[in-house]
Amino acid sequence: MQILLVGPEKNSFKNLESSFSENKTPTRWLDTAEKALKLIAGEKIDLVIIHEQLPDMTAKKLVENIITLNAMMNCVVLSALPKEDFHETFEGLGVLMQFPLMPGKEDMEKLRDHLARIRRISDQIKPIKGAGNK
């Protein structure tokens, strides 16, 4: 699994990085949305975790650009917005969940459970015969 962390300060992701590291899951950090989009366009990334404060565009705009590149991309946003405002801002963009600005172990557990559910569902989906599959 390839995980990309996007935000102006790497320190915002320290708890996430240590949790992913414990599970032997590598992460990569970039400080701007522009750098993230270039990476996503050229490499397979499974999950993008985005800080709401980016220097070059809003987190919402980055998510919109990401799903244009890959509609199936899993995104999480670190945001201080109240839940209702967050939902309204990111509605329809397929954001998996909202994390607090400094996520903890409980947040990681929720994310791990959510990703496991997605994996189980996608494993149950079988290709349709005759739909271009060989």
Side-chain angles (χ1 to χ4, degrees):
M1 176 172 256
Q2 294 291 328
I3 299 171
L4 178 61
L5 309 171
V6 185
E9 294 182 29
K10 190 173 184 180
N11 193 43
S12 301
F13 301 104
K14 71 178 182 181
N15 293 336
L16 293 175
E17 283 184 305
S18 69
S19 185
F20 282 122
S21 180
E22 287 172 13
N23 291 298
K24 297 180 179 33
T25 304
T27 59
R28 187 160 175 189
W29 170 74
L30 295 173
D31 60 348
T32 68
E34 183 180 337
K35 290 176 187 174
L37 290 169
K38 285 180 184 174
L39 180 72
I40 292 166
E43 293 185 30
K44 182 185 181 316
I45 303 295
D46 300 295
L47 173 66
V48 182
I49 302 177
I50 304 162
H51 193 283
E52 71 180 354
Q53 298 296 319
L54 297 170
D56 54 345
M57 74 177 63
T58 65
K60 179 182 179 180
K61 186 67 177 166
L62 177 55
V63 171
E64 290 170 345
N65 287 327
I66 288 171
I67 61 174
T68 299
L69 292 171
N70 179 352
M72 301 306 290
M73 180 68 68
N74 293 308
C75 296
V76 172
V77 178
L78 278 61
S79 175
L81 285 174
K83 288 198 182 301
E84 300 80 27
D85 293 343
F86 181 87
H87 178 74
E88 191 171 308
T89 299
F90 290 95
E91 185 175 17
L93 296 177
V95 172
L96 290 179
M97 61 183 54
Q98 174 184 10
F99 272 2
L101 294 178
M102 288 299 289
K105 286 192 180 274
E106 314 82 45
D107 302 301
M108 276 303 299
E109 288 303 315
K110 287 179 191 173
L111 176 59
R112 235 183 252 112
D113 291 346
H114 200 79
L115 291 172
R117 278 196 303 274
I118 290 170
R119 231 176 276 119
R120 282 194 301 274
I121 291 167
S122 66
D123 288 348
Q124 291 175 1
I125 298 171
K126 305 270 191 245
I128 300 170
K129 281 190 172 184
N133 302 319
K134 297 188 181 203

